[in-house]
Amino acid sequence: MGKVLLVVLDGASFHLLKEFKDDLRSFSTIIKEGIWGNLKSVFPSITPVALAALFSGKEPEHNGITGPKIFIKNKPLYKPLSAFSSTSLIDEPIWVYLSKKGYKTIVLSSPQSLPDKWKMNNLILFDPYKSKMKGCDQGFLIKDGDNMIMEKNWKLSIGDNKGILRYPGEEGEEEIILQKYVWSDPIKIKTVCKRKELIGVTKALLKENYVYVLPPGFKNEEWSNDKNIEEDVWNNVSLKNGMILDGDYHGLSNGLINLKEYMETVNFAFSFFSNYSLYILKKYEWDFAITYLPLIDNLQHLLYGIDNEEAKESVKKGYSLSDDFISYHMNLGDNIVICSDHGISKVQKRVYINKLLEKINLLKLNEDRIDWKHTKAFYGGGGIIRVNLMNRERYGIVNKKEFPKLIRYIMRNLEMLEDPENHVRIFTSIYANEMPADDRKGDIAIMGVSKGYSLSSVIGNTDIIESVIPYRTSTADHGYYKAEDMEGIILMQGKNFRKGQSINCRIIDVAPTISKIFNVDMRVDGRVLTEALIQGI
């Protein structure tokens, strides 16, 4: 059977790979010598939902990950379960099935890999995104003089074409000389986040009259189930390469860095994920492993909706970096499976559902925070609107008699919502429950959105519908169009796969096909892609 490596390329879109493939060496090789085709995602085609379907082989309603926020009876509306946690899964992913049969398994990134609730000796789990801590997960400015950042003092002195930055290091104040417009090497810092003193790593850039510091990654003992291996990776990967996990969208959106500098942060993320993945996969034993790269999705969200050559070439850069990533991993196993979680669609405007609920007096704000004692309905993302119902939600305020009337009121406003500039109706399909929804479901589910519009759960916006701003906000999205955003990619090559074939499949077919190579049966909604496997497997 041999070793199997699953490479997940977040957001890789079938129609764009078709356009770019002739310029991508590794992709082209697999297309000619292996199997490739269109991979249909699940609805909504958003990353945590789609990846749960990929790894479990089950539809969202059967694996439990139905949206970014998962509403459960007897929990407050403001404290749903998170899709970015293993605790939300109600089914076993492929790594559990294989580990139970004695196969050594490594997961390098998954929204539902941690915390480790399975506790198996032959299972190594990582999620580097858990090195980012809420409230301390964005970059920050250092101005000339003293600056208090995360309860520590940073001091900057700017001279001609260089600056001296004094920052809180592990053993006290440390100093680095920065050249103007040149990123520093990784900086090891000591700071306070959530009242806890932590060691972190970041990079800094001296601009004209300030230093911009990238979002730090922290050594918080939360991003692996094996503390010894986490320590090894921290010392030999994170501190050497930095721990930049995505292109710094917030820095660009806030005007703190320009597009060229943003693309440099994309390269930093590529450096981290490449070195991180190769270090672990070459050093530690495995039969099955999952690795991951987020950069196509980063670049498509930001730039795919901008119709100029610079933006197109930047999007193509994401596919080129992914092609390099594949080339680095091609010979690590006997079989390689490459897939994405979803595709991408262009958008011109964003629709803020919670602003609509606010304007129809169902969601109340108090100084830009939701006043849950007076909020009757909330949009949590994933197309799900949930009513704050008594005896279902803890602290619910809507009684059961009011529920049907409230649902009709929300539905009427959703159905009537149109873009005032062109009179396009925003929603193409909406479903409402006649009775209060069960766990993990919405009382109202938005099942379709008009082309060119994106949904947001953000609060505090001025208008319900806002135009996107090129190079400042997302110009492309996925999740609700049931079009190109549902069309990901699948490529397979190795001793257990046929050669020179095209295939169309669903994201829920990948896990059972891989498990079949190991002669392990999974309980799934998908099927084994027998047409892709060499006879006898």
Side-chain angles (χ1 to χ4, degrees), residues 192-248:
V192 176
C193 184
K194 294 185 176 179
R195 294 179 290 184
K196 186 177 180 181
E197 197 165 58
L198 294 168
I199 302 299
V201 63
T202 184
K203 286 177 175 259
L205 177 68
L206 176 62
K207 301 276 283 184
E208 189 63 36
N209 55 8
Y210 62 85
V211 164
Y212 180 64
V213 181
L214 288 171
F218 291 105
K219 185 183 177 184
N220 56 12
E221 298 188 346
E222 293 181 9
W223 43 275
S224 177
N225 69 336
D226 189 312
K227 303 313 171 192
N228 292 326
I229 299 179
E230 182 180 326
E231 180 78 18
D232 182 17
V233 172
W234 175 260
N235 290 327
N236 291 291
V237 179
S238 301
L239 293 181
K240 292 179 180 180
N241 296 277
M243 208 165 180
I244 311 306
L245 305 184
D246 295 288
D248 187 19

Side-chain angles (χ1 to χ4, degrees), residues 9-204:
L9 303 176
D10 199 327
S13 188
F14 182 67
H15 71 282
L16 288 177
L17 181 57
K18 282 199 300 184
E19 180 180 350
F20 299 146
K21 63 183 174 61
D22 291 342
D23 296 325
L24 304 171
R25 193 175 194 178
S26 299
F27 279 113
S28 294
T29 297
I30 298 176
I31 289 169
K32 289 174 185 175
E33 299 178 4
I35 291 174
W36 90 293
N38 189 328
L39 181 105
K40 184 179 179 182
S41 190
V42 291
F43 185 90
S45 54
I46 56 179
T47 293
V49 177
L51 289 183
L54 169 66
F55 298 137
S56 70
K58 288 195 173 183
E59 297 283 358
E61 60 267 30
H62 296 147
N63 66 47
I65 308 297
T66 52
K69 292 181 173 64
I70 301 167
F71 299 103
I72 301 292
K73 186 176 181 180
N74 295 325
K75 289 185 71 70
L77 200 59
Y78 56 85
K79 280 192 177 180
L81 299 180
S82 171
F84 297 88
S85 171
S86 64
T87 57
S88 300
L89 274 175
I90 58 174
D91 198 68
E92 292 184 342
I94 184 172
W95 56 79
V96 174
Y97 279 95
L98 296 182
S99 296
K100 282 183 175 179
K101 293 296 183 179
Y103 293 108
K104 294 176 181 177
T105 303
I106 298 177
V107 179
L108 291 179
S109 185
S110 164
Q112 295 96 27
S113 59
L114 293 171
D116 180 7
K117 63 181 184 180
W118 302 285
K119 310 294 184 185
M120 289 184 277
N121 292 332
N122 56 344
L123 177 59
I124 298 172
L125 298 171
F126 276 91
D127 181 2
Y129 285 92
K130 287 185 169 52
S131 73
K132 305 295 181 180
M133 299 183 66
K134 191 173 181 180
C136 309
D137 55 355
Q138 292 192 18
F140 50 90
L141 287 184
I142 303 294
K143 296 181 180 179
D144 208 22
D146 291 309
N147 301 258
M148 285 300 293
I149 306 292
M150 289 185 272
E151 301 185 29
K152 298 286 184 178
N153 188 54
W154 297 61
K155 188 171 184 177
L156 176 63
S157 302
I158 299 178
D160 293 335
N161 295 316
K162 67 178 183 179
I164 299 174
L165 178 64
R166 295 180 176 88
Y167 62 93
E170 187 171 16
E171 303 299 330
E173 184 179 85
E174 297 191 27
E175 178 180 298
I176 185 172
I177 298 175
L178 301 172
Q179 302 298 319
K180 196 167 284 187
Y181 304 116
V182 178
W183 290 97
S184 72
D185 290 334
I187 301 171
K188 188 178 182 182
I189 64 173
K190 189 174 187 178
T191 190
V192 176
C193 184
K194 294 185 176 179
R195 294 179 290 184
K196 186 177 180 181
E197 197 165 58
L198 294 168
I199 302 299
V201 63
T202 184
K203 286 177 175 259

